[in-house]
């Protein structure tokens, strides 16, 4: 119960913190005057007063709260089931969009905010893209079952992530005009997250993590677009007074095609071709000099496994059949050294070598045949569950800089994962002692090697 109370306190505190951070210690009129006159802003700040620390504090607390309540999620749901077992209200399906609707309503009504409607929309769309990549990457890799048992895509909450992305959008555009806008936006987002839990659609950790993703997605979205505009042109932003150093430190959002160099399920006899998939994620590095830095990435890759057609020997009465394996998904992170070389003001080469961790999604294996009497002619025969594994990555990239703060990067990465996959077969197999001993203790050690080719939108700081 202490963890439940702690999580609730953290959640409410963060909402208030985000809503009130525009009226803290800085004098807005003084800052705008300093920027317009070209006078430098004061640089003497403590660690917790630094801009990036303040921006990352709320998401970090929310992710910590999600981890702290993970083991208590069943107990928290029991409280809901005891007092509100029949609660059902669809307001959270619509309330999540209210803060974004308020932004456009205010702008169309002529209320001046941070940016004009065009630039605000560009920042918003970028934030939504980042949020979508993060939420869906984790959802379809973790495959956590919803509390109502409907699907295996519970963690994190997409509704809550959308609500807090929209609330942060309202905060960014109008929080500096009047903190009441921020309070209303984050209050609405909190009610959306509460609704997802009361409707038995999400666990509490899903909601907390979704809120953190929503906030950080908007921060990143504005970061990229501010770099595109070179921190100029917004009405009230203080970011124009903050300049980066001369080192090639960066943060980037990436998307590309992933090409398998090995048969991923060769030892399991479930595929006979190299797979083609996609990759998306975030990457960044902090450079200590013009040449050397340390960085890392958080990326998701998915590979559909093509059906394996098996002709039965003569005398069998099932005809030809296919083995269908659900796609393999990898959520990986790693860190290591980065090397950079500038050919000119416009062109930059980066090399990296990282090592880290990869979590692989579990899945199912089906047999398909016209002789199987089901609507889809499919029958599940097994589940597979890979163990978390070590991942190493080496890559190179070439960036064209549109301006000193923003560039487009062509990248190529090589990834290697050695994964142990445990197979659990259906009840029919368990009924046979011989088959159960032979198959349900089956562990295949697979080599997952693939190359990723893609593009990154890179922002320098």
């Amino acid at each position: 119960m202490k963890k439940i109370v702690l999580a609730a306190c953290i959640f409410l505190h963060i909402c208030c913190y985000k809503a009130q951070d525009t009226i803290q210690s800085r004098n807005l009129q003084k800052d705008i005057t300093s920027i317009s006159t070209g006078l430098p802003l004061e640089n003497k700040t403590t660690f917790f007063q630094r801009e990036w620390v303040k921006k990352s504090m709320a998401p970090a607390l929310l992710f910590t709260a999600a981890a702290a309540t993970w083991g208590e999620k069943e107990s928290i749901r029991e409280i809901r089931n005891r007092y509100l077992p029949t609660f059902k209200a669809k307001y959270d399906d619509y309330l999540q969009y209210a803060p974004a609707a308020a932004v456009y309503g205010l702008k169309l009504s002529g209320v001046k905010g941070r940016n004009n409607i065009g630039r605000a929309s560009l920042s918003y769309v970028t934030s939504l893209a980042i949020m979508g990549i993060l939420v869906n990457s984790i959802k379809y890799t973790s495959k956590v079952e919803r509390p109502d048992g409907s699907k295996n895509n519970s963690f994190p909450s997409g509704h809550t992530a959308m609500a807090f992305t929209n609330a942060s959008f309202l905060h960014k555009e109008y929080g500096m005009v009047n903190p009441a806008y921020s309070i209303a936006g984050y209050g609405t987002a909190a009610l959306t997250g509460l609704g997802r839990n009361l409707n038995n659609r999400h666990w509490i950790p899903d909601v907390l993590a979704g809120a953190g993703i929503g906030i950080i997605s908007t921060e990143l979205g504005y970061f990229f677009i501010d770099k595109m505009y070179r921190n100029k042109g917004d009405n009230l932003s203080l970011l124009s007074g903050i300049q980066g150093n001369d080192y090639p430190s960066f943060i980037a959002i990436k998307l590309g095609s992933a090409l398998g160099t090995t048969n991923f399920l060769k030892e399991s006899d479930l595929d006979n071709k190299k797979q083609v998939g996609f990759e998306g994620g975030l990457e960044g590095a902090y450079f200590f000099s013009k040449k050397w830095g340390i960085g890392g990435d958080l990326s998701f890759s998915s590979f559909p496994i093509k059906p394996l057609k098996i002709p039965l020997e003569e005398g069998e009465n099932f005809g030809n059949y296919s083995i269908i394996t659900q796609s393999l998904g990898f959520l990986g992170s790693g860190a290591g050294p980065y090397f950079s070389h500038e050919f000119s003001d416009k062109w930059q080469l980066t090399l990296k070598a990282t090592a880290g961790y990869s979590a692989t999604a579990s899945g199912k294996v089906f047999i398909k045949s016209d002789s199987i009497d089901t609507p889809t002619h499919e029958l599940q025969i097994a589940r597979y569950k890979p163990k978390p594994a070590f991942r190493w990555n080496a890559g190179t990239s070439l960036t064209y800089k549109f301006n000193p703060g923003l560039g487009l990067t062509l990248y190529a990465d090589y990834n290697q994962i050695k994964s142990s996959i445990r197979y659990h077969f259906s009840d029919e197999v368990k009924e046979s002692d011989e088959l159960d001993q032979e198959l349900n203790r089956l562990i295949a050690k697979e080599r997952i090697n693939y190359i990723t080719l893609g593009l990154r939108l890179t922002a320098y700081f």
Side-chain angles (χ1 to χ4, degrees):
M1 181 61 74
K2 289 182 179 179
K3 290 184 178 180
I4 299 171
V5 175
L6 177 62
C9 292
I10 291 175
F11 192 65
L12 292 174
H13 173 74
I14 288 168
C15 292
C16 295
Y17 168 78
K18 290 296 295 182
Q20 295 175 1
D21 66 357
T22 58
I23 54 172
Q24 289 182 347
S25 60
R26 302 193 70 170
N27 185 296
L28 179 60
Q29 185 176 1
K30 180 180 178 181
D31 286 338
I32 294 175
T33 302
S34 299
I35 294 169
S36 61
T37 57
L39 296 176
L41 298 173
E42 294 182 4
N43 292 323
K44 295 181 179 180
T45 56
T46 65
F47 176 79
F48 290 102
Q49 290 177 329
R50 294 178 181 177
E51 195 70 22
W52 69 270
V53 175
K54 291 191 292 183
K55 290 181 184 300
S56 60
M57 186 177 296
L61 287 173
L62 285 164
F63 296 145
T64 301
T69 57
W70 188 267
E72 302 294 329
K73 62 182 182 180
E74 294 278 359
S75 301
I76 298 172
R77 186 181 65 157
E78 286 305 313
I79 296 173
R80 177 262 179 201
N81 291 344
R82 181 179 179 186
Y83 294 101
L84 295 168
T86 60
F87 184 91
K88 190 174 183 180
K90 294 187 176 181
Y91 76 86
D92 48 349
D93 289 336
Y94 311 103
L95 195 62
Q96 60 179 319
Y97 303 110
V103 172
Y104 286 104
L106 289 166
K107 290 192 179 297
L108 293 173
S109 299
V111 180
K112 190 176 181 181
R114 174 180 174 178
N115 299 304
N116 61 42
I117 193 169
R119 179 166 173 180
S121 297
L122 194 57
S123 299
Y124 180 50
V125 170
T126 305
S127 302
L128 290 179
I130 295 171
M131 183 270 293
I133 289 174
L134 292 176
V135 167
N136 288 293
S137 296
I138 300 172
K139 261 185 184 294
Y140 296 102
T141 301
S142 60
K143 292 190 176 181
V144 176
E145 186 178 26
R146 289 181 182 270
D148 61 4
S150 59
K151 291 182 179 179
N152 292 329
N153 61 351
S154 186
F155 182 83
S157 168
H159 279 63
T160 309
M162 174 64 77
F164 274 84
T165 299
N166 291 334
S168 297
F169 178 42
L170 177 60
H171 168 69
K172 286 286 188 182
E173 290 299 320
Y174 287 100
M176 297 178 74
V177 176
N178 190 325
Y181 292 122
S182 299
I183 294 171
Y186 285 112
T188 298
L191 287 174
T192 300
L194 180 62
R196 300 308 287 166
N197 182 251
L198 293 179
N199 279 309
N200 206 29
R201 295 291 290 164
H202 282 286
W203 311 95
I204 280 293
D206 305 344
V207 172
L208 293 168
I213 289 173
I215 293 171
I216 201 167
S217 295
T218 305
E219 295 291 355
L220 289 172
Y222 271 79
F223 178 80
F224 282 114
I225 301 308
D226 284 342
K227 290 298 181 181
M228 181 180 295
Y229 281 86
R230 303 180 70 175
N231 290 335
K232 296 179 180 179
D234 52 353
N235 297 322
L236 296 173
S237 174
L238 302 181
L239 290 175
S240 57
I242 302 174
Q243 300 296 330
N245 56 29
D246 293 329
Y247 303 152
S249 301
F250 72 89
I251 187 167
I253 180 171
K254 62 181 181 179
L255 185 66
S257 295
L259 313 172
T261 61
T262 58
N263 295 355
F264 291 169
L265 300 176
K266 181 179 179 181
E267 297 301 320
S268 305
D269 291 326
L270 289 176
D271 75 338
N272 55 11
K273 295 181 179 179
K274 296 178 176 63
Q275 309 303 330
V276 179
F278 75 92
E279 178 188 71
L282 301 172
E283 185 172 350
Y286 182 83
F287 278 77
F288 304 100
S289 67
K290 284 185 174 292
K291 296 291 186 181
W292 292 100
I294 187 168
D297 74 312
L298 174 67
S299 60
F300 170 74
S301 54
S302 178
F303 297 87
I305 305 299
K306 295 181 180 179
L308 189 63
K309 295 184 179 181
I310 307 293
L312 290 178
E313 295 181 2
E314 188 176 351
E316 299 283 358
N317 58 1
F318 289 102
N320 292 342
Y321 66 94
S322 298
I323 301 295
I324 299 174
T325 306
Q326 288 184 331
S327 60
L328 286 172
F330 304 93
L331 181 64
S333 62
Y338 278 63
F339 173 80
S340 176
H341 175 72
E342 290 187 352
F343 295 109
S344 66
D345 292 340
K346 293 292 185 181
W347 293 97
Q348 177 180 303
L349 176 70
T350 303
L351 305 176
K352 68 172 183 178
T354 68
Y357 171 90
S358 177
T360 308
S362 57
K364 299 176 181 179
V365 181
F366 301 87
I367 182 172
K368 184 172 183 177
S369 172
D370 292 337
S371 301
I372 297 176
D373 188 17
T374 63
T376 60
H377 299 290
E378 294 178 353
L379 180 66
Q380 181 182 334
I381 59 173
R383 294 179 294 108
Y384 69 84
K385 185 176 181 61
K387 294 182 178 179
F390 175 79
R391 183 199 80 163
W392 73 268
N393 167 286
T396 182
S397 61
L398 183 64
T399 302
Y400 175 78
K401 293 185 177 182
F402 302 111
N403 59 55
L406 189 73
L408 184 66
T409 303
L410 175 66
Y411 75 92
D413 288 351
Y414 176 77
N415 299 271
Q416 184 177 94
I417 305 167
K418 292 185 178 180
S419 181
S420 296
I421 303 177
R422 174 76 178 266
Y423 289 89
H424 302 271
F425 285 80
S426 60
D427 293 338
E428 288 77 8
V429 173
K430 293 179 181 178
E431 291 175 0
S432 168
D433 292 338
E434 183 179 350
L435 289 176
D436 182 46
Q437 176 138 12
E438 180 180 352
L439 296 177
N440 273 321
R441 290 162 178 76
L442 176 63
I443 297 178
K445 295 185 178 181
E446 305 286 2
R447 293 182 61 189
I448 313 294
N449 299 340
Y450 61 94
I451 296 172
T452 305
L453 302 173
L455 294 174
R456 293 196 317 241
L457 180 63
T458 304
Y460 294 90
F461 60 93

